[in-house]
Structures are given as C-alpha cells and as structure tokens.
Amino acid sequence: MLRGQMMDRPLLTTSILRHAALYHGSTAVTSRFGQEPKHSYTYRDAWDRVQQLANVLTRLGIKAGSRVGTLAWNDFRHFELYYAVPAIAAVCHTVNPRLFPEQLIYIINHAQDEYLFVDPMFVPLIEKLWPNLNGVKGVVVMTSPDFMPKQTGLPNLLCYETLMAEAAEGFEFPEFDENTACGLCYTSGTTGNPKGVLYSHRSAVLHAYGFLTAPGISVTTSDAALVVVPLFHANAWGYPYAAAIAGAKLVFPGPKLDGKSVYELMEEEQVTVSSGVPTVWLGLLAHMRQSGAKFSTLKSVTVGGSAMPKAMLEEFELTHGVTCMQGWGMTEMSPVGTIGALNPEQQKLPVAEQHEAKLKAGRALFGVEMKIIGPDGSEQPRDGESYGELVVRGPWITSGYYNDEAANRGAFTEDGWFRTGDVATIDETGAMAIVDRAKDVIKSGGEWISSIDLENAAMGFEGVQEAAVIGVPHPKWQERPLLVVVPRTGASIGKAELMAYLERHVAKWWLPDDIVFVDDLPHSATGKLLKVELRRRFANHPLPGIQAAE
Amino acid sequence: MLRGQMMDRPLLTTSILRHAALYHGSTAVTSRFGQEPKHSYTYRDAWDRVQQLANVLTRLGIKAGSRVGTLAWNDFRHFELYYAVPAIAAVCHTVNPRLFPEQLIYIINHAQDEYLFVDPMFVPLIEKLWPNLNGVKGVVVMTSPDFMPKQTGLPNLLCYETLMAEAAEGFEFPEFDENTACGLCYTSGTTGNPKGVLYSHRSAVLHAYGFLTAPGISVTTSDAALVVVPLFHANAWGYPYAAAIAGAKLVFPGPKLDGKSVYELMEEEQVTVSSGVPTVWLGLLAHMRQSGAKFSTLKSVTVGGSAMPKAMLEEFELTHGVTCMQGWGMTEMSPVGTIGALNPEQQKLPVAEQHEAKLKAGRALFGVEMKIIGPDGSEQPRDGESYGELVVRGPWITSGYYNDEAANRGAFTEDGWFRTGDVATIDETGAMAIVDRAKDVIKSGGEWISSIDLENAAMGFEGVQEAAVIGVPHPKWQERPLLVVVPRTGASIGKAELMAYLERHVAKWWLPDDIVFVDDLPHSATGKLLKVELRRRFANHPLPGIQAAE
C-alpha cells in the first residue's frame, strides 16, 4: 500500500463558515422571531459573532467534549451556536422543545448538557423541568436584554446578547481530528427512550457536500434558502452547512410556520428554495388557495419527514410551477439519504408518469450506500418489485447510539450496515420506495405484504373512514393480514363487497384473511396509529379456515 | 475530546463509479478516436468493464502500490484505467506524451511504472524510449486487435481488448485507507526535473465534491460534459470523478482537438459544458467565425491552464451566449483552486464590469484555503490592491513531491502552506488575480512591481512587437525594472516617447529605469519567454542615474 502525498487537513465545520465569510461575505442571513424585530446580517458578520460567541462559551467553562443544549426555533443565534460550539470541539445538542417533559428530562440528563441555550418562550418550560435536571449549570436566553423574562425561578439565567456584549472579539479556533463530535440529536420512536445520534465534523462536512451534489438539489450562490425544517430536527437537513458552502442566502423563519407567515416571508426575502415536512406545505398551499396569491421567486421545495402526498406534488408543480421533490432520510443519517429528482430519461415522460416516479423516495446521495435485504440478509434484486429491509452505510450514518448499548442491539447488520427499520423496493434507476415499516409488514410464507398498500387499497372503498392492517399468527403461513376497518358514521359496509373490491386492487395472496369492523382505532397523542396496541388486541383473533386446516 | 459516532467509511474513487452505475446507470460515456470508430456505453457498462479490467491488472501482476503508466488521449479505456487501477490500490500514473523524450524517460523511471498503457499512435514513441526504460514489464496498447501495430520491436506488447476478452467478469474490490495513493502526475517547469504529485483516494473524492459545489460550476445529471482537458493533465480537472458523481454524460474527444472536430462533437453529443486551455478555445472560436456555425446546446465553458484572454470571454459570451469563466489551479492542487464565477452582486453589473471581474482567477472552492503573504510571511490585506505570494492549503493539495527531497525544499512555508510561486492579489469578494510569477516580479524597495502588467502596458505602444520586463540589481531599491523591447520590422521607437506613454498607463514608481531595444528575445522550444536567460544577459546592465546617486 502506498500512501498518497496530500495535506492532512481535517474536515471541520468551522472551515465552512470561515469560507462563507471570505468568499460569500456580503451574502445575507436573515431571521424572523416571535417577538423581536426582524434581523439581518451577513456571513461575514456571522463569522465575527461566532468568534465572539466562542469567547462567551469559554468564559462559561464550556470545554472540548462538553455538551451544550439548545431549545430554540430557527434564527441567527441558533445558527451561531451551530458553528461556535463545535468550533471549540464541544457538542451542539439540539433538543426538540415539542417533546413530552419526561422525554426532555431524559434527553438533557442523558446528554449531560452543561448549559442550555433557549428561546424566551421556552423559559417557563425549563422552569418546570428544572427540579429534575441534573448538572445543568445555567440557562442562556437567546435574546437581547429587552426581551428577557422579567422574573424567573431559575438560579442562573443569563442573556445571550449581554454575554456577547461583554465578550472579546476574535478567537483563534483550534484544529483537531475531523472525527471529533460536533452535534448530538435524539430521535424518539413510539417505544423506549429517545436515542442519541452523535455527529462528527467529518460527517457534517461530507453530508453537506453530498447534499449539494445530489441531482435535483439547487442551492447555489444565486439562491435564497428558507430553512423551514427546524434546526433541532436532524440538522435542518444540513442547510446551515450546505447553504454556507454554496453561498446561498439563508432565511430563518423563527416560530411562525403557518401558511400566511411562510408565504409572506418567502416573498419578502425572495426565497427560491425550501425544504420541510408535509404539514408546513399543506398550510402554505391552503393559504395560497384561500388568498389567490402567487409565488414570485420560489423555484423548488423538498418534502421530507413523511411521504409526500400526490395532491401536494400536483398543486406545487401544476398550479404554482414550483418543482416539488421528496427527500428521505433519518436522524441517524445526518439526515439526508435520497432525493426524489427525476433522471434525464424520466424528465422526458408525460407529466402524469413523472409524478408517478416522483412518489418514490428517490436515489441515494453520493456517499450513501443502500440496499434491500431479505430475512437471511441476502441482497434482494433492484427491480422495483422485490421487497427487502432497507439497510444503509456511509460516512454520515451512525455507527451506534450515544451511550446506549440497549438501543444498539439489533440496530446493525452483522457486516455493519444500519437497519433503517423500513421495508422498501429499489428499481433499476436506483430509486427507492418505502413499502412499510419492517415491524408492520406481514410476513406470509416467506413473502412480505405491505400493510400500508393494503390500507390504502381499503381506504378507496366507499364508507371506509380508517383502515389498519396487521399480521396475525397463522400456523401454515406464519402471519396473515387482518384488516381492521372503522366505517364512516352511518355507513354500512358488507365484508364480502369490501373483499371483492380488494380483489380487484391487490394480488390475490395479499387479500386479508379476515375483516373486522370497529368503532375506533388506537392512536398516540400525536395522532399516530398504534399498531403495537392493535396487534395486542387482535393477537388471538381466530382466522376463518384455520380450524379446518388443522 | 469526544469522538463522533459515525461510520468509519473510507472515501474511495471506486465508490464513485459504483454509485454512477447504480444511480446514473443508463447515462452515456461516449468516445471519439483517431482511427477506431466512435464508441458509446453507459456508466453501468463502464462499471462492469472496470471490474474486468481489475482482473486483467491482477493477472499482469499489478499489486497494491504498483504504478501503472498511461500515455493516451481521452477515451473510455483511459477512463477505465482511472478507476480500475486505484480500485486495486495501485497508482494510475498519467504521463503527458507531448513531453521531450528525456523527460518521459526520467518520469517513467522515477515513477517505476511496471506497465505502460498506451494509445496505438504512441507505440513508435515507446519503441524509441524503450532502451532507456528500467523495469517496465510490458506495454498494453489501448485498442482492439484490428488496430494493433503490425510489427514492433517491443518485447511484450499486449492488446487491451484481447486481455479484456480473456478476463473474468466481476471483481470484489478491496476496501482500504482513504489516504492510499490513487494517482500520480508529474509537473514540468522550465528548470529542473519533472516533479511527481501523488494523489490519494481521499483527495480525489474531496476535490470532486469541492469542484461540483463551486459557484458557477454546473455539471449535473442534465448535462453533457466534453472533457477537452487531457486525462494526463492533472486529472482532467477532476471531470472523470465529478461527472460520475453528478450523473452527467461524459464525452471524450480522443486526439482531435481542432476547432472543427470539437465543434462537430459538441453538436453531435449535445454537449452543454466543457473546460479547456485557451489554445483549444481559440481554435474553436476561429472555426465558428469561419463557418458561421452556432452552438445549439453549449451553455458554459471554463478556461484554465493560462490566463483567459478578454477577447475570448467577449466572443463566447456576447457572440455565442455561452457563459465563460476562468478556472485556476495547479497539478499540485488536484488541480482546481478557484473558479472565476460572478457573485450575485456582480451579476447585476453592466456587462463590461462583469467582464472586468471575470478576468480575475476567481474565488476558492470550499476545501481550498488561500492567502497572500509578504516577504516576511505575514498575511497581506485582501483589498484587491496589495500584492503577496499566493500560498494554499487543503486536503487536495500536495504535502510534498513524490520521492524528491530536492524539489520539496522551499516548496512550503514553515507552517505548511504550499507556495504556488505566483504573486497575486485577493479582493474583498475573495477573488484572486495572478499578478506575476514570484520569480519574475520586481522587488523594488519592499514593494512589488508586476512584470506582466508593465509588459502589457508596453505592448499597447505602436511599433512594439514584443516586450519583456525584468528586475536588475539596484543599490538603493534592491531591484528596478528594465524594459526590453523588440520593435516591429521597420518600426522606429523613441525611448522618450515610449516612456511618456507608459507614464500615462502605470504608477510613476513602476516606470522602468531604462528601456533597451533588441532584435529578438530568448524563447523555449514551446515558445515560452525565458526570463532566466534574459536576466543573465542583462545582469550587469548599467541603469541610468545610479552612477550619479553613488
């Protein structure tokens, strides 16, 4: 083996903002707030402030390896923490303030955050959590003195701008190993404790490069990017890094994400690109319909977090002329894994077929390896038909949850691929489509049946308000699908008619072995269908025909 | 220091082509040749062939660390070697076949190439060199049996396609440290032996990412890139890697780079982007003028290797509507350092001012750090006025020439920046402009005078055919400029008139202390002005006024 003779220079997020200051120095970073007036400065200003903030952090006793928590919306101060904390080799731990108090307490204690940086609106929340927090030395409110809470029960409540005003300018940032941790983000599933993903400087830089070079992504020096995805949500898809590399203008919306606010901000700041969850886009599109407004600069939106509804795609592209794409990823993946852009051949298809293709999650970024595997771990064909569990690998994918041996059990294949927990197909063009959650797919005689596809088929039948499909144990087939249906109020659904309808829409061996009608289905507090609970309830449901077979 | 928990996956060039095969599999890679008919296949085909080629290499005894030389134009086989050789951890050593025989012998022996892969047209050249080559085990002609030389004096002459036909399909590529060498390229200056730059897998991948994310660069899945820059010339600016990441169609022109051939290829393959040296573009533009032809798909060209003439910029942009930019780099930099795209503010300027801005070399890619330093090593202001020696740093910049301690002496600053040997300015927008070669700049009283700017000024005076400016020793100022002029045949130039003309065009303290008229200037075989020789000739030239001052 011969070693190349290239400089051994580390990939550090600090270099990103330094680069932006030197080469995109006059480009704007603008912020909206709940209370404070609008704020706008440049990448050059941000770089100066980040150096000052590093002096603040140092004075607070933050050291290499220290965790610093944030509970904040998207604005320039949160952006400054994104750079200043990792720049001194500490870890920026973004906490989702919308989690349940018990989850917040678990997360902050598990991460051992030394300080919390929070928006003024979250001070009451922190006051409530405070008695249960271990080791947090103080709380810095991310605002100016004017907007500080008038009184507080917190022992050490500091003001961000006061600390900044007292801090020296300039900071000689250290250089260190690119594998040093830079960020921490917890992901919470439906069961168990939240799990921490610990990003490195290397992974953050490579992810930004990978995102910017993905087909369909256009974040350039001529663009203005509205960061709708929260900075506490898996690095806001890496926008704070990617936009600074590309020299795109950054627009931070603060807490107001209703349709009207998002639209007005887009127009005011001449936003060209944005990424967000479907909820935000539904609100925006509703506002557009109601107000009859038009986008004057918006070119492209990416939809992530959950599947893009077809109606949303059509409304963005056909009504508004805005390119709409899916992005798929996970907190464990920094987060972006695929982008659902069309390849040149697909771009020549009729619009309806383009839209069919766009309903897939898309093709991998360069840097992400993905494949689908069968129950025995063998790779399944990339034919767009075969199902398999989706596993991924790459330099910006987790190698294990932070301080959590229990969570790591079963999280990886034997040869080190991360198990996404999704069942998917991959087609000849490399486009991946999520079929189901691995734990929800019905394993029938060695083949897999998508509960989601069956549910969607059942939802098409008149009178069905909600449908859920679960696997129930079967002596011969291991599992067979059971369809649980909530009829619309006043509707009466015939089991035979519904079965006949399904027969016309899914493969014969997919047909549920039974249909049960119920008054309602169990949901979580956030509205998610609780299939675990449903499986428990129907664990002993007698499938017709089994008695006879035995 | 806390270590991030991200997968430890190496950045390998192999991953690039694998990615292209999986996600841009149907995208074309087309080639033209001197003799063979046109060839076209896809990234998926290329990936299959590269695996087969790895079997060929293994059978030839090529091992990890082995150097494999190429003397070839741009076509798909050269592209295959770019990937197959590094994929087995060997080193692809691209040799410039246009060098002098003594340089070729030095380079091949210094690199210890085990095999040479050559185009049919270079077989006679290799036959000539053969007696002086040490350790080359054989020569593989990059063609099919039909185009093999009928007879040869070489002991072990093999046919590429014959070897491929005999080779097994499929290859399990090994994984290894990303710092492993992947490529080797020698750079030859005007003095001394050629110096080898040893690229690593890491540097090649990062350079491709950096290139693709540079403002102004548009190499996307919708583009077709014509690789005019030779594959033996500093990785062809990284196109073989960058295009495969982006999923752009690749077009390889073979040896025919005259204006007509390049134009016809662009039209036939619907080329949208290309990069090359001014010579190629001058030929292309001349053809466009003579034929009155129009570009139907070309959007953008980049000019590198030497400064972009203003007339070329204007002709591309104003006559043809093709965006034209400079790129600046060095073999030592993998090679791209800057791209001369306009920032959003500059894009709003009148065209004439845009063009002025575009005459600078441009802003650094993210991944390249650059600064200008004074004689004492201190950083000079980024004000667009201050001169300094340009030094660079980054993960795709050489850390030392291959096996060449002598060449490394003085090549780096004490704190590890690479000395480019250029004197430059950097302005507030980060745009760098080359002022002069460091050895040619005139050091006058602690200030620097650009010999190039003075020469350009003198060239504007009627009757001047060629002008050269050198520094001659001066007791008070250390050096002062001497202008050496070749008048046009029959022209008579007055020294006082020329001096008066210069007074109106350069700063007073820049004015040459003397002007000398000569019949001709010393040039190298390739037409480069030999300032070393000129300085030797005028070392004792008495400057007027010195006698008096002493």
Side-chain angles (χ1 to χ4, degrees):
Chain A
M1 213 67 95
L2 184 64
R3 199 180 157 91
Q5 281 181 266
M6 292 281 120
M7 288 187 188
D8 186 16
R9 299 288 309 156
L11 304 174
L12 300 180
T13 58
T14 330
S15 328
I16 296 177
L17 195 61
R18 182 189 285 119
H19 179 86
L22 290 175
Y23 302 103
H24 315 299
S26 57
T27 300
V29 178
T30 69
S31 309
R32 290 293 183 288
F33 297 87
Q35 291 195 288
E36 273 188 71
K38 164 186 170 181
H39 178 274
S40 187
Y41 67 176
T42 65
Y43 280 120
R44 196 177 289 128
D45 299 329
W47 176 239
D48 290 342
R49 291 256 306 177
V50 160
Q51 292 177 65
Q52 227 171 334
L53 181 54
N55 284 316
V56 169
L57 295 168
T58 305
R59 207 189 112 197
L60 292 176
I62 306 298
K63 295 193 178 58
S66 297
R67 271 80 68 204
V68 175
T70 68
L71 282 91
W73 295 105
N74 293 7
D75 62 43
F76 75 103
R77 296 192 188 96
H78 206 170
F79 177 72
E80 288 169 1
L81 285 160
Y82 249 71
Y83 282 100
V85 176
I88 59 170
V91 180
C92 183
H93 171 209
T94 53
V95 183
N96 180 349
R98 290 184 293 197
L99 294 177
F100 296 117
E102 313 83 70
Q103 291 176 309
L104 291 173
I105 292 165
Y106 173 85
I107 287 174
I108 294 168
N109 286 339
H110 187 268
Q112 299 177 283
D113 290 329
E114 297 185 13
Y115 270 87
L116 296 178
F117 281 71
V118 308
D119 277 354
M121 66 160 72
F122 297 124
V123 172
L125 173 65
I126 300 297
E127 284 170 342
K128 236 187 304 180
L129 306 179
W130 190 255
N132 295 299
L133 299 182
N134 310 324
V136 178
K137 294 176 195 157
V139 176
V140 180
V141 187
M142 295 161 70
T143 191
S144 60
D146 292 351
F147 297 91
M148 282 295 284
K150 297 299 165 231
Q151 53 183 28
T152 177
L154 293 171
N156 187 18
L157 194 75
L158 304 165
C159 171
Y160 190 100
E161 290 304 334
T162 304
L163 292 169
M164 288 289 273
E166 292 164 357
E169 291 178 0
F171 194 97
E172 274 296 315
F173 287 116
E175 289 199 347
F176 41 81
D177 187 326
E178 66 189 30
N179 292 301
T180 303
C182 81
L184 177 61
C185 186
Y186 283 73
T187 173
S188 51
T190 44
T191 56
N193 283 322
K195 299 172 281 186
V197 180
L198 193 62
Y199 307 109
S200 68
H201 284 261
R202 172 178 163 102
S203 70
V205 171
L206 291 177
H207 176 272
Y209 269 144
F211 179 73
L212 288 171
T213 54
I217 293 299
S218 172
V219 177
T220 74
T221 183
S222 305
D223 285 296
L226 174 64
V227 188
V228 169
V229 190
L231 287 167
F232 57 73
H233 183 205
N235 301 319
W237 297 19
Y239 268 97
Y241 305 127
I245 289 175
K249 174 180 169 180
L250 268 173
V251 183
F252 290 119
K256 290 186 192 158
L257 295 177
D258 62 283
K260 184 165 179 285
S261 301
V262 169
Y263 173 71
E264 287 171 357
L265 185 54
M266 282 178 161
E267 291 300 309
E268 204 171 326
E269 298 297 337
Q270 306 197 284
V271 166
T272 59
V273 295
S274 190
S275 300
V277 293
T279 318
V280 171
W281 300 140
L282 286 173
L284 176 63
L285 289 172
H287 171 76
M288 302 304 284
R289 278 194 304 275
Q290 284 150 21
S291 65
K294 301 253 168 282
F295 297 112
S296 56
T297 53
L298 188 66
K299 288 184 320 189
S300 161
V301 294
T302 318
V303 183
S306 56
M308 170 177 71
K310 193 172 181 187
M312 178 179 293
L313 169 67
E314 289 172 346
E315 197 167 349
F316 267 124
E317 299 215 325
L318 305 180
T319 308
H320 296 291
V322 170
T323 301
C324 183
M325 295 179 298
Q326 296 205 60
W328 170 82
M330 301 176 74
T331 301
E332 289 88 340
M333 298 174 70
S334 294
V336 187
T338 67
I339 294 288
L342 300 176
N343 71 17
E345 287 166 9
Q346 293 168 327
Q347 284 166 22
K348 293 179 199 138
L349 295 175
V351 171
E353 287 173 54
Q354 287 187 16
H355 284 183
E356 273 312 310
K358 279 195 160 183
L359 291 178
K360 298 194 171 187
R363 295 180 284 157
L365 270 56
F366 171 64
V368 170
E369 291 178 81
M370 65 180 185
K371 65 179 178 181
I372 48 174
I373 58 174
D376 62 348
S378 66
E379 183 168 356
Q380 301 301 300
R382 300 167 90 94
D383 55 13
E385 300 284 335
S386 304
Y387 284 6
E389 187 188 347
L390 182 66
V391 297
V392 293
R393 192 168 71 166
W396 59 79
I397 293 167
T398 182
S399 63
Y401 295 103
Y402 176 60
N403 261 347
D404 198 338
E405 272 318 304
N408 288 333
R409 274 195 288 277
F412 298 88
T413 65
E414 270 179 32
D415 53 349
W417 294 64
F418 176 70
R419 307 176 77 129
T420 63
D422 284 314
V423 170
T425 60
I426 301 178
D427 68 21
E428 297 81 355
T429 73
M432 182 272 285
I434 303 280
V435 171
D436 208 343
R437 290 294 295 165
K439 62 182 182 339
D440 294 339
V441 83
I442 292 113
K443 285 107 185 161
S444 170
E447 301 280 354
W448 286 350
I449 298 170
S450 161
S451 67
I452 293 176
D453 285 359
L454 257 183
E455 286 158 7
N456 286 341
M459 293 288 284
F461 189 71
E462 212 186 314
V464 173
Q465 183 180 299
E466 195 175 3
V469 172
I470 54 169
V472 292
H474 189 285
K476 181 172 176 193
W477 301 109
Q478 186 186 358
E479 271 186 2
R480 286 296 299 163
L482 171 70
L483 171 60
V484 187
V485 169
V486 181
R488 275 187 212 284
T489 319
S492 137
I493 301 176
K495 199 188 268 196
E497 287 74 21
L498 176 49
M499 198 66 92
Y501 173 84
L502 290 176
E503 232 171 336
R504 296 196 302 274
H505 289 86
V506 301
K508 197 162 188 312
W509 64 276
W510 275 38
L511 285 177
D513 280 31
D514 200 5
I515 303 177
V516 180
F517 295 94
V518 295
D519 288 341
D520 51 24
L521 291 170
H523 291 98
S524 74
T526 55
K528 265 192 181 169
L529 186 63
L530 290 173
K531 289 205 177 171
V532 177
E533 167 59 16
L534 208 58
R535 274 192 288 268
R536 201 192 49 74
R537 199 186 290 176
F538 288 96
N540 300 315
H541 182 79
L543 290 178
I546 291 191
Q547 228 67 6
E550 278 174 345
Chain B
M1 214 66 99
L2 183 64
R3 200 181 155 88
Q5 281 183 264
M6 292 280 121
M7 288 187 188
D8 186 16
R9 301 286 311 154
L11 304 174
L12 300 179
T13 59
T14 330
S15 327
I16 296 177
L17 194 62
R18 182 190 285 120
H19 179 86
L22 290 175
Y23 301 101
H24 316 298
S26 57
T27 300
V29 178
T30 69
S31 309
R32 291 292 184 289
F33 297 87
Q35 290 196 289
E36 275 188 69
K38 163 188 170 179
H39 177 274
S40 187
Y41 68 176
T42 65
Y43 280 121
R44 197 177 288 128
D45 300 329
W47 176 240
D48 290 343
R49 291 255 306 177
V50 160
Q51 293 178 64
Q52 227 171 335
L53 182 53
N55 284 314
V56 169
L57 296 168
T58 305
R59 208 187 112 198
L60 292 177
I62 306 298
K63 293 191 180 58
S66 296
R67 270 79 69 204
V68 175
T70 67
L71 283 91
W73 295 104
N74 293 7
D75 61 45
F76 75 103
R77 296 192 187 95
H78 206 171
F79 177 71
E80 289 169 359
L81 285 159
Y82 248 70
Y83 281 99
V85 175
I88 59 170
V91 180
C92 183
H93 171 209
T94 53
V95 183
N96 180 349
R98 290 184 292 196
L99 295 177
F100 296 117
E102 314 83 69
Q103 290 176 310
L104 290 172
I105 291 165
Y106 173 86
I107 286 173
I108 294 167
N109 286 339
H110 186 268
Q112 298 177 286
D113 290 329
E114 296 185 13
Y115 270 86
L116 296 177
F117 282 70
V118 308
D119 277 353
M121 67 162 72
F122 297 124
V123 172
L125 173 64
I126 301 297
E127 284 169 342
K128 236 189 303 180
L129 306 180
W130 190 255
N132 294 301
L133 299 182
N134 310 325
V136 178
K137 294 175 193 157
V139 176
V140 180
V141 187
M142 294 161 68
T143 191
S144 61
D146 292 352
F147 297 90
M148 282 294 285
K150 297 299 165 233
Q151 52 182 28
T152 178
L154 293 171
N156 187 18
L157 195 75
L158 303 165
C159 170
Y160 189 101
E161 291 304 335
T162 305
L163 292 170
M164 287 290 272
E166 291 164 356
E169 291 177 0
F171 195 95
E172 274 297 315
F173 287 116
E175 288 198 348
F176 41 80
D177 187 327
E178 67 189 30
N179 293 301
T180 303
C182 80
L184 177 61
C185 186
Y186 283 73
T187 174
S188 51
T190 43
T191 56
N193 283 322
K195 299 172 282 186
V197 180
L198 193 62
Y199 307 109
S200 68
H201 284 261
R202 173 180 162 101
S203 69
V205 171
L206 291 178
H207 176 271
Y209 269 144
F211 180 72
L212 287 171
T213 54
I217 292 299
S218 175
V219 177
T220 75
T221 182
S222 306
D223 285 295
L226 175 64
V227 189
V228 169
V229 189
L231 287 167
F232 57 73
H233 182 203
N235 300 317
W237 295 21
Y239 267 98
Y241 304 128
I245 289 175
K249 174 179 169 181
L250 269 173
V251 183
F252 289 118
K256 290 185 191 159
L257 295 178
D258 62 283
K260 183 164 180 286
S261 301
V262 169
Y263 172 71
E264 287 172 356
L265 185 53
M266 283 179 162
E267 290 300 309
E268 204 171 327
E269 299 297 336
Q270 305 195 285
V271 167
T272 60
V273 294
S274 190
S275 299
V277 293
T279 318
V280 171
W281 300 138
L282 286 174
L284 176 62
L285 289 171
H287 171 75
M288 302 304 285
R289 279 194 302 275
Q290 284 150 22
S291 65
K294 301 254 167 280
F295 296 112
S296 54
T297 53
L298 188 66
K299 288 185 317 189
S300 162
V301 294
T302 318
V303 183
S306 56
M308 170 176 72
K310 193 172 182 187
M312 177 179 293
L313 169 66
E314 290 171 344
E315 196 167 352
F316 267 124
E317 299 215 327
L318 305 181
T319 309
H320 296 291
V322 170
T323 302
C324 183
M325 295 177 298
Q326 294 206 61
W328 170 81
M330 301 177 73
T331 301
E332 288 88 340
M333 298 176 70
S334 295
V336 186
T338 67
I339 295 288
L342 299 178
N343 71 18
E345 287 165 10
Q346 292 168 327
Q347 283 167 23
K348 294 179 198 135
L349 296 174
V351 171
E353 288 173 53
Q354 287 188 16
H355 284 182
E356 272 312 310
K358 280 196 160 183
L359 291 178
K360 297 193 171 189
R363 294 180 285 157
L365 272 54
F366 171 65
V368 170
E369 290 177 82
M370 65 180 187
K371 64 179 180 181
I372 49 174
I373 58 174
D376 62 349
S378 66
E379 183 168 356
Q380 300 301 299
R382 299 166 90 93
D383 56 12
E385 300 284 335
S386 304
Y387 284 7
E389 187 187 346
L390 182 66
V391 297
V392 292
R393 189 167 74 164
W396 59 79
I397 293 165
T398 182
S399 63
Y401 295 103
Y402 177 61
N403 261 347
D404 198 338
E405 274 317 303
N408 288 332
R409 274 196 287 277
F412 298 88
T413 65
E414 269 178 32
D415 53 349
W417 294 65
F418 176 70
R419 307 176 77 128
T420 63
D422 284 315
V423 169
T425 60
I426 302 179
D427 68 22
E428 296 82 354
T429 74
M432 182 272 286
I434 303 280
V435 170
D436 207 342
R437 290 294 294 165
K439 59 182 183 340
D440 294 339
V441 82
I442 291 114
K443 285 110 186 157
S444 170
E447 302 278 355
W448 287 350
I449 298 171
S450 162
S451 67
I452 294 176
D453 285 357
L454 257 183
E455 285 159 10
N456 286 341
M459 292 289 283
F461 190 73
E462 213 187 312
V464 173
Q465 182 178 299
E466 196 175 2
V469 172
I470 54 169
V472 292
H474 188 285
K476 179 171 177 195
W477 300 109
Q478 184 185 359
E479 272 185 1
R480 285 296 301 164
L482 172 70
L483 171 60
V484 187
V485 169
V486 182
R488 276 187 212 284
T489 319
S492 138
I493 300 177
K495 200 188 269 198
E497 287 74 20
L498 176 48
M499 198 66 91
Y501 173 85
L502 289 177
E503 232 172 338
R504 295 196 302 274
H505 288 85
V506 301
K508 197 164 188 314
W509 64 276
W510 276 37
L511 286 176
D513 281 30
D514 200 5
I515 302 177
V516 180
F517 296 94
V518 296
D519 289 341
D520 50 23
L521 292 170
H523 291 96
S524 75
T526 55
K528 268 194 180 166
L529 186 64
L530 291 172
K531 289 206 177 171
V532 177
E533 166 60 18
L534 208 57
R535 274 191 288 268
R536 201 193 51 73
R537 200 185 290 176
F538 288 97
N540 300 314
H541 182 79
L543 290 178
I546 290 191
Q547 227 68 2
E550 279 172 346

